[in-house]
Amino acid sequence: MSLGAALLMPQRLDRLDAMRGDQAFGDDLVALLQQLLTNPRYAQALAPVLGGAFTRAGERLAARMQARLPEALSQASALMAPLTDTLQELAARAGEVETPLDGLALIEGMLDATLAAVQGLSEASLRRWTRAVHALLTGPLGLSQEALQAQLRLICADVRAELLRGSAALAADQAAVHQALAAVLGRVETEVLEGVPALDWQPDRVAQELHRTLRAAGLQKVRAQLACIVEKAKATLGATEALAGVAGAGPFGPGSVGAAQPNPPLSGDRYCWYASWLYASKRRLAGDDFSIWLADKILPGYPYDRVWLSADGTQLMLRRVGDGNDEVLHTFAEGAGQWHQAPQFAGGLGPEVYSFGVVGPQFLEVWTQVFAALVEAGKTAGHITAFATSPREKGANVPLTFWNFIKLLTVPTGKAPLQALLTNLSGWGVGSEYLYIWVPWLIVLLGGLEGKHTETNGVNIFAQYATLLGGDALSAYNIHSLISGAHGLLLSLWTLLNQTGPAGATGDPDTRPDNREHGGPVVSLGAVLANMLMIKLVPREDYAHPFHPDNPAFYGYWFLGAGMGIAGATLGTLATWALSRTYDAGQLGENIGAGALVGFIGFLLQWYTTKEGDTADGTYNPKKDPEGNAYSPARLDFTGYPAADTSPYKLPYAKGTALFVGQANQGMFSHMRFNWVPQVYAYDFAHDFGDEVLASRAGTVVDYFDWLPDDTDPADAQIWDAIKTALGWAGPGEPTQADVNTAAATPASGLIPGQTGVANIGYDTGGNFDQAYFNWNFIVVRHDTVVAAHDTDILDPSLRATFPCTYAVYGHGKRGSVREVFAAKGVTDPRDIIGQTVQQGEVLMHAGDVGTSFHNHLHMHVLGGPAPAAVPPPVSSGLSRFTLPFVFREATHVLGRDGVLRYLTWYTSDNQRVG
């Protein structure tokens, strides 16, 4: 098994025992992707093959929609009307912007109005919008799910034919990669795409999902956070302007004290904000290789080309990140000039010109600079929020806060981004900006050490560190991507609106302004949102990690993600044409290729972040068993999560202690329907080896087993040895059920009749041991005092009489620790543990790593079961075969529902230890 596969799945991968075709396909795919991502030479050789296939796909799509293009553009323009109206209103106020603080006030109003509008969306208005988008996709564009799958088959066949045709001329290793990819694509074409379930694309269903997502987002809190970010940016910009004004001119223009000449930037040369954005990847897209293009798409902080005006104002220079050589964009023969006076920005027609039809270059220069400051303020505030609202996320977030705050200060004081300023001052060239990519990632790597385990073995320490690292990396990536993405998207919208000139191509070369080429952020957003929507519509029963043996549909969804990237990129391309009032058929192939790659490469991350924890607010109850068969009788939905402020549950560790939750409800790795007991509603707490596990709620011990050896995922033979040890049975061979029952009734046994290890162990039809009911050390506590809102009201009324009580299961315990804990309380006979009452906060066992487990942790879930009077302890049967939604009283969040723990998040307990 590949290392990549193992790292993607923090559970034991039980796959080699029974390898199936779809599993082998997954291994082949991972191995192939590993080769392509780690060897740029292989990826570079594939670039023209993929590019050609997507160009031809774009031509097919353009030809199909040619007759209905006016209709498609009209519908796209109508969908974009609210956005274009808002931008036009802002453009009308452009003359009010004289200082960065003016620009910031304009941006603040725009963002708050946008959030208010989104927050005020009703389900009815969303239905109207989704119906319009659905009509556009299935009408003029003809992009149904079936059509997308057909398009993907054509692309696969096209690429496969090209790969096999050209492999003979390649070196042996490259030819092997081409042939392997051709084989994988053959299976995708004939098997994987055929197995994709048809999703429910009805507009009203989509609107319902969108409305539920918006409700859960807590937009009122988001607006408050945004206001806080803007105020921080205002304070920073205002303070730096005031400080610079005392000494002389302000960093953005004439100061209030001293000379009226602008204060020169620290580097001498003047950074051109908007021109740098326009030229950031212009040369790269024209000539650089595929690996650089890919890194540009997926690596946060990847360096870009920069535009500078020389200190004497005579040369406008493009400083290249690839070769480090400056390119003179324009020389001002008459002496000092401004960047927007260069012919590239003077309007008109030409091979490389930009127009400013709606807002002028001065406005966009201020806008770009101010939004750059707002981006850094947003990242700073995001990391402050992360460590201020979490007990242990300081290791990465505090240094990242300082890093982004320094970048924020550099915007007004140095008049350039920090990395650009440092490289310009040092004279190292733009290529040295590659060094700064690693600053935040090094911080994240070191920050992941915060909270790592120390009491277990090295393998488990590293595994738990990898989980902590994943949480820090995902948090940092989301903060960066969301805020930086908004910056690029808004600049793209302004640039497209500024397009002037003919709607169609002017000839070869096309001399229309190049504004139309800067729709990349719009196209990428379309691909991301389309993929996210598709993943939202995937049934929750199909959610699992990529390598689960019972989830072959995953690979179909993965490749359909590329198809959704095509659909989203097509919509994004139409949006750019509508905004710029131009049409360029040649863009379609390039854009859908980029969209397909964005959809495919980003699918795993989107799959995880979109579906992880998605329980429909605690109502979801799987309708299919682990083999995919519908339950009979049908399982019924829950009524939803109960309120946190009345919860009888507290976190299962001592008050004041903070622990990491690696996996929560509807977790990809094991908390989903693919288990004997579907553990959808379960939590994994990162207890170290030997840490105390406290009762989350008072009750009675009704079952336990703690004889399995530590740090094992025990095989049947180990489970059987543990049972025999617990029974004190020394007979030859394996005992029958009668032998087990007899042994359990003797004083030598540590088990009693009815307890796990005696009851509910597996035997074949001949009465011989086959497979155990359990594979971990655990303890079960019945909650004797029923709290209706948290025990029975969550169930459908038809089930409340069947399961009138709840039972908490605490798993992965240390060997012998249940007996050790109760012996310390005076219960020295293991047979007397069952039936003992425990208080909330009382120690139950010590944490370990026994069972299917990535590292030391405590697993906890709650089941329904019989009332106390109906079945006395032990209780190892009669419990629900599904877990129940439950919440913790002390778990609060800045955004979203309180009480429901989230994956990759720290929580501080308020559970007072007793005893």
Side-chain angles (χ1 to χ4, degrees):
M1 184 182 307
S2 72
L3 175 61
L7 290 177
L8 282 170
M9 175 192 167
Q11 297 289 336
R12 185 174 66 94
L13 301 179
D14 296 324
R15 308 186 52 212
L16 298 180
D17 300 349
M19 182 67 73
R20 295 194 328 212
D22 51 296
Q23 297 167 343
F25 172 79
D27 278 348
D28 291 344
L29 181 61
V30 168
L32 183 59
L33 291 175
Q34 185 181 31
Q35 287 282 343
L36 294 175
L37 292 174
T38 57
N39 193 321
R41 186 166 59 94
Y42 296 156
Q44 183 63 27
L46 290 175
V49 176
L50 294 173
F54 282 113
T55 297
R56 291 185 286 275
E59 291 169 351
R60 289 193 297 269
L61 184 56
R64 188 171 63 188
M65 61 187 280
Q66 181 67 42
R68 303 184 68 179
L69 181 61
E71 178 187 355
L73 285 173
S74 175
Q75 292 184 25
S77 297
L79 285 168
M80 299 289 292
L83 174 62
T84 52
D85 290 347
T86 300
L87 291 173
Q88 292 286 0
E89 290 173 10
L90 287 173
R93 298 174 55 193
E96 303 172 13
V97 178
E98 297 181 357
T99 70
L101 289 177
D102 294 336
L104 193 54
L106 191 65
I107 292 169
E108 178 184 21
M110 179 201 67
L111 293 177
D112 188 64
T114 301
L115 282 175
V118 173
Q119 184 181 2
L121 284 174
S122 64
E123 189 169 337
S125 60
L126 283 170
R127 279 199 298 271
R128 288 192 296 272
W129 185 80
T130 54
R131 287 170 184 171
V133 174
H134 187 266
L136 175 58
L137 279 170
T138 58
L141 300 183
L143 292 177
S144 63
Q145 179 178 333
E146 295 79 7
L148 285 172
Q149 288 175 225
Q151 192 66 240
L152 286 171
R153 289 189 199 96
L154 288 173
I155 292 171
C156 286
D158 193 350
V159 173
R160 189 161 51 85
E162 285 295 318
L163 289 171
L164 294 176
R165 185 180 301 116
S167 62
L170 298 174
D173 59 338
Q174 284 184 292
V177 170
H178 279 222
Q179 290 162 5
L181 179 56
V184 166
L185 291 177
R187 291 198 60 187
V188 171
E189 182 185 347
T190 58
E191 300 173 28
V192 174
L193 289 173
E194 291 294 334
V196 180
L199 301 179
D200 183 1
W201 292 100
Q202 289 302 313
D204 291 357
R205 163 75 200 291
V206 174
Q208 185 181 48
E209 282 292 334
L210 290 174
H211 193 248
R212 180 185 289 125
T213 302
L214 290 174
R215 276 205 326 256
L219 289 178
Q220 186 60 42
K221 292 182 178 179
V222 172
R223 290 177 69 187
Q225 289 279 41
L226 178 63
C228 178
I229 291 169
V230 173
E231 288 304 314
K232 291 183 189 314
K234 283 181 179 177
T236 303
L237 292 177
T240 51
E241 278 197 278
L243 286 172
V246 170
F252 292 104
S256 58
V257 179
Q261 294 301 315
N263 190 39
L266 298 179
S267 67
D269 296 336
R270 280 171 285 180
Y271 186 76
C272 304
W273 291 88
Y274 182 60
S276 289
W277 183 82
L278 291 173
Y279 276 86
S281 301
K282 191 173 184 65
R283 296 292 188 264
R284 184 179 306 165
L285 294 175
D288 284 334
D289 63 30
F290 176 74
S291 59
I292 293 179
W293 179 91
L294 185 62
D296 180 26
K297 293 292 182 186
I298 66 176
L299 278 181
Y302 194 82
Y304 297 106
D305 297 348
R306 310 281 192 178
V307 176
W308 292 81
L309 186 65
S310 62
D312 60 6
T314 60
Q315 284 191 331
L316 191 67
M317 299 171 291
L318 178 66
R319 295 188 173 154
R320 299 289 310 280
V321 72
D323 52 24
N325 295 322
D326 289 354
E327 175 187 339
V328 178
L329 295 177
H330 181 67
T331 298
F332 295 96
E334 297 79 12
Q338 300 295 324
W339 68 269
H340 56 82
Q341 295 170 340
Q344 290 93 331
F345 310 105
L349 300 177
E352 187 173 289
V353 298
Y354 291 93
S355 57
F356 296 88
V358 175
V359 290
Q362 296 91 336
F363 170 81
L364 286 173
E365 183 74 1
V366 173
W367 177 283
T368 310
Q369 186 174 13
V370 169
F371 216 104
L374 191 60
V375 165
E376 302 307 335
K379 293 178 189 176
T380 301
H383 291 296
I384 289 174
T385 301
F387 75 73
T389 58
S390 173
R392 292 294 295 274
E393 292 191 60
K394 297 176 176 59
N397 283 295
V398 170
L400 286 172
T401 296
F402 283 107
W403 170 248
N404 287 295
F405 186 66
I406 292 170
K407 290 168 71 178
L408 167 61
L409 290 177
T410 309
V411 173
T413 57
K415 297 182 68 177
L418 176 63
Q419 300 97 308
L421 181 65
L422 292 177
T423 53
N424 206 49
L425 286 170
S426 66
W428 289 351
V430 182
S432 62
E433 287 193 35
Y434 285 108
L435 297 173
Y436 301 108
I437 296 178
W438 300 107
V439 172
W441 291 114
L442 182 61
I443 290 172
V444 169
L445 285 168
L446 295 176
L449 297 171
E450 179 187 26
K452 75 174 183 64
H453 287 170
T454 59
E455 302 302 318
T456 184
N457 60 59
V459 172
N460 278 345
I461 288 174
F462 178 79
Q464 192 253 350
Y465 162 73
T467 306
L468 295 172
L469 177 62
D472 286 341
L474 184 61
S475 173
Y477 183 85
N478 285 339
I479 290 171
H480 172 90
S481 300
L482 289 173
I483 298 173
S484 298
H487 179 38
L489 178 64
L490 285 167
L491 286 173
S492 177
L493 295 175
W494 282 125
T495 304
L496 293 169
L497 277 175
N498 266 342
Q499 177 86 27
T500 60
T506 59
D508 188 12
D510 192 340
T511 57
R512 288 175 294 172
D514 286 353
N515 301 52
R516 59 196 164 81
E517 296 180 354
H518 290 273
V522 179
V523 173
S524 294
L525 179 65
V528 169
L529 291 180
N531 218 351
M532 188 178 299
L533 177 60
M534 183 271 286
I535 293 171
K536 270 285 183 187
L537 296 178
V538 169
R540 294 178 179 88
E541 276 87 354
D542 287 348
Y543 181 60
H545 60 77
F547 307 102
H548 200 287
D550 295 316
N551 192 31
F554 171 82
Y555 298 106
Y557 291 132
W558 194 353
F559 280 90
L560 183 58
M564 293 308 299
I566 290 174
T570 303
L571 278 176
T573 301
L574 274 181
T576 64
W577 291 347
L579 286 166
S580 62
R581 302 163 303 283
T582 58
Y583 167 69
D584 188 344
Q587 289 181 332
L588 194 56
E590 180 182 331
N591 286 350
I592 67 171
L597 284 172
V598 167
F600 185 79
I601 294 171
F603 181 84
L604 284 176
L605 182 60
Q606 283 192 278
W607 178 256
Y608 181 65
T609 56
T610 302
K611 299 299 281 187
E612 189 81 358
D614 179 14
T615 63
D617 206 27
T619 61
Y620 166 59
N621 193 10
K623 305 300 186 292
K624 297 179 182 178
D625 67 18
E627 284 72 44
N629 303 310
Y631 285 110
S632 181
R635 293 217 168 148
L636 302 171
D637 284 344
F638 300 112
T639 60
Y641 289 116
D645 56 1
T646 61
S647 175
Y649 296 94
K650 290 190 175 182
L651 294 166
Y653 42 95
K655 181 177 181 177
T657 301
L659 287 182
F660 190 69
V661 174
Q663 187 180 196
N665 295 173
Q666 182 67 346
M668 174 193 286
F669 304 113
S670 60
H671 297 176
M672 30 67 179
R673 76 167 173 92
F674 298 101
N675 278 298
W676 183 81
V677 175
Q679 300 172 354
V680 170
Y681 297 96
Y683 299 106
D684 287 345
F685 302 94
H687 287 63
D688 202 348
F689 183 74
D691 281 354
E692 291 181 338
V693 175
L694 305 189
S696 180
R697 184 175 168 185
T700 300
V701 178
V702 297
D703 197 12
Y704 83 96
F705 192 92
D706 72 346
W707 278 268
L708 288 167
D710 290 325
D711 296 326
T712 61
D713 187 357
D716 287 350
Q718 291 173 294
I719 297 170
W720 192 233
D721 287 342
I723 292 172
K724 290 193 289 185
T725 300
L727 288 168
W729 191 82
E734 295 180 352
T736 64
Q737 182 68 66
D739 292 333
V740 171
N741 293 339
T742 300
T746 66
S749 172
L751 305 176
I752 61 176
Q755 182 179 357
T756 292
V758 178
N760 291 331
I761 56 175
Y763 286 82
D764 62 22
T765 54
N768 298 311
F769 179 77
D770 181 34
Q771 185 175 3
Y773 164 80
F774 62 101
N775 72 336
W776 62 351
N777 294 327
F778 68 95
I779 185 169
V780 181
V781 175
R782 182 186 62 210
H783 305 136
D784 300 326
T785 301
V786 174
V787 180
H790 295 266
D791 294 330
T792 55
D793 291 355
I794 56 177
L795 295 167
D796 184 87
S798 64
L799 293 174
R800 292 172 187 174
T802 306
F803 302 114
C805 190
T806 54
Y807 293 70
V809 179
Y810 304 81
H812 299 305
K814 178 185 174 184
R815 182 178 188 176
S817 65
V818 175
R819 287 170 287 156
E820 176 186 335
V821 163
F822 280 88
K825 302 175 187 179
V827 184
T828 56
D829 189 337
R831 295 173 298 176
D832 294 335
I833 293 174
I834 292 179
Q836 294 291 320
T837 59
V838 294
Q839 302 177 58
Q840 186 178 65
E842 193 169 334
V843 183
L844 298 177
M845 67 179 183
H846 295 147
D849 187 36
V850 180
T852 304
S853 173
F854 189 49
H855 57 71
N856 285 95
H857 73 280
L858 165 69
H859 171 101
M860 180 183 175
H861 64 252
V862 172
L863 304 173
V871 181
V875 181
S876 59
S877 61
L879 303 179
S880 65
R881 297 288 292 270
F882 50 83
T883 54
L884 307 182
F886 67 107
V887 298
F888 292 93
R889 182 183 289 263
E890 65 265 63
T892 59
H893 303 108
V894 175
L895 300 175
R897 177 185 281 277
D898 290 337
V900 183
L901 306 188
R902 296 177 182 169
Y903 62 98
L904 304 181
T905 304
W906 291 86
Y907 293 95
T908 301
S909 174
D910 193 39
N911 194 354
Q912 184 65 54
R913 184 186 186 280
V914 299

